[in-house]
Amino acid sequence: MRNPNNRLARTIARTALILTSATAVAFSLTACGGTGAGDSGDKTVTVYSADGVGDWYKTQFAKFKDQTGIAVNLVEAGSAEVVSRVDKEQSNPQADVVVTLPPFMQKADKSGLLQTSGVDTAAVAATDKDANGKWVTLAGNYLCFIANPSVDSSKLTWDDLLKPEYKGKLQYSTPGQAGDGTAVLILLQQLMGKQGALDYLGKLQANNVGPSSSTGKLQAKVDKGEILLANGDVQMNLATVKEKGSKFNVFFPASAGGKQSTVAVPYLMGLAKGAPHSDAGKKLMTFLLSADAQKALPDAYAVPARQELKDAAPSAAGAQSPAQVIKNVEVLHPDWTKVLDELDADLAAYTKATGS
């Protein structure tokens, strides 16, 4: 996964997936267990997904089984690893539905790992889905950073992150290995230009603890004060605050003029080419895009893909919605196809600039 070609051919953010090792994150919501497709015939569908919305999945998959009798096997991993496994299994496909972040879904499409689903996506804006029907946004999300409560993050700028006081106290997930880490590189390119981003990250390396293939694992380190600052994403971080009582604060580094910016990093969903249970996969995709399922996304701190629900807020009293968190933040929408075309070269340049 250190090699972007190997990683992207499969893929990004957040925890490394090695299904042959004890570190694999794989679980089944079926009574019979297992993560592969096959044993349960048409009564099973397998989903390979970037991690982050596991609790929402659990609830929705249970409802789906009640309604259809079809059980869902879920394998969660970093965004790049999800695509990597689909690629490796082309001779014996196991996944039916694939969920990952950009530009890794675009990589999956370019690598011929997806098929047109035929699922009705009329409720999703044209800008949030592939024109050829290969993928569709499942839930919206945004890059952010988190800070230990001991740090006043309300006015932190990108230049502040370079200060000596944060030496060994800052960490961000590695571009090319984690979706959110890749988003950091892309955001800086949007703000500073490609060379400016490399120059900045080269300087930031003096404070960086080191590489991390998992964005999610940085949360506990910030919460405990092992490090003070890290990257993250709005959905994952807000959910962790709610579910685990974490005390870190979400923030967006500002430019010298005080302007805060972020990039959209949505969860994208597609039907795997050669899906063993394609009909069941299509039914699940339709279900997850339904109004009932999408209405529950705000409680998982994700933004519904359906246009009429984008402004929906969490049901819990006082809970912040992603829309509230990014209210005064400029959201940038990169051309992910262009990002993908240039990513291998950009990652090579990043590795050279940071010495990582």
Side-chain angles (χ1 to χ4, degrees):
M1 216 205 58
R2 306 290 177 185
N3 185 316
N5 289 320
N6 293 338
R7 177 249 331 151
L8 282 173
R10 47 66 179 160
T11 232
I12 112 234
R14 295 187 195 115
T15 62
L17 171 68
I18 307 174
L19 291 176
T20 56
S21 76
T23 60
V25 182
F27 63 91
S28 170
L29 295 177
T30 70
C32 61
T35 59
D39 292 344
S40 299
D42 294 336
K43 294 301 182 181
T44 298
V45 60
T46 297
V47 177
Y48 286 5
S49 177
D51 51 354
V53 289
D55 285 348
W56 179 74
Y57 275 149
K58 187 175 182 179
T59 300
Q60 300 309 315
F61 290 169
K63 291 181 178 179
F64 179 71
K65 184 178 180 181
D66 287 343
Q67 292 182 21
T68 66
I70 301 172
V72 182
N73 293 331
L74 173 65
V75 177
E76 291 183 299
S79 303
E81 287 294 346
V82 167
V83 178
S84 178
R85 188 186 180 194
V86 175
D87 182 52
K88 292 174 182 177
E89 294 175 347
Q90 287 190 72
S91 62
N92 182 29
Q94 299 295 300
D96 298 302
V97 177
V98 179
V99 180
T100 192
L101 309 185
F104 303 104
M105 184 61 90
Q106 287 80 0
K107 176 62 178 180
D109 185 13
K110 186 176 181 180
S111 300
L113 303 180
L114 304 175
Q115 60 177 304
T116 301
S117 70
V119 170
D120 182 3
T121 62
V124 180
T127 53
D128 293 335
K129 58 190 176 186
D130 175 48
N132 297 315
K134 296 290 186 65
W135 54 262
V136 61
T137 296
L138 175 63
N141 196 13
Y142 308 93
L143 172 71
C144 67
F145 280 71
I146 57 175
N148 183 271
S150 64
V151 176
D152 180 6
S153 59
S154 61
K155 296 182 180 180
L156 279 181
T157 66
W158 289 105
D159 287 342
D160 288 333
L161 304 190
L162 301 175
K163 291 180 177 179
E165 63 196 76
Y166 296 123
K167 183 177 179 61
K169 292 296 182 179
L170 177 151
Q171 192 171 17
Y172 64 95
S173 52
T174 307
Q177 296 186 33
D180 295 319
T182 304
V184 170
L185 175 61
I186 301 306
L187 175 59
L188 289 171
Q189 288 179 341
Q190 298 284 310
L191 297 175
M192 305 175 184
K194 288 198 174 187
Q195 189 57 51
L198 293 176
D199 293 343
Y200 177 83
L201 290 169
K203 296 175 184 177
L204 188 65
Q205 197 65 12
N207 289 346
N208 188 21
V209 171
S212 173
S213 62
S214 169
T215 310
K217 289 182 179 179
L218 301 181
Q219 297 179 111
K221 298 175 72 173
V222 173
D223 211 31
K224 295 174 183 177
E226 295 177 17
I227 57 176
L228 299 178
L229 303 168
N231 70 313
D233 67 68
V234 171
Q235 183 277 324
M236 175 178 66
N237 296 148
L238 292 183
T240 300
V241 169
K242 175 189 175 184
E243 296 162 8
K244 297 184 179 180
S246 294
K247 302 301 181 183
F248 53 71
N249 297 311
V250 171
F251 76 102
F252 302 87
S255 64
K259 187 176 183 178
Q260 296 175 311
S261 303
T262 186
V263 291
V265 283
Y267 292 88
L268 306 177
M269 176 172 64
L271 186 67
K273 182 179 179 181
H277 308 108
S278 60
D279 287 344
K282 293 175 185 178
K283 289 179 181 178
L284 178 62
M285 291 175 67
T286 298
F287 176 85
L288 294 178
L289 290 173
S290 69
D292 285 344
Q294 291 272 308
K295 285 177 182 176
L297 277 170
D299 285 327
Y301 298 96
V303 180
R306 296 179 68 95
Q307 296 183 78
E308 80 274 18
L309 298 175
K310 282 186 176 292
D311 294 327
S315 60
Q320 279 190 305
S321 69
Q324 291 172 312
V325 173
I326 65 165
K327 183 177 181 180
N328 297 312
V329 180
E330 179 186 30
V331 179
L332 303 176
H333 297 273
D335 179 343
W336 289 109
T337 299
K338 182 179 180 182
V339 168
L340 176 62
D341 289 343
E342 300 174 358
L343 189 57
D344 284 353
D346 288 346
L347 292 175
Y350 165 80
T351 299
K352 182 178 180 180
T354 60
S356 58

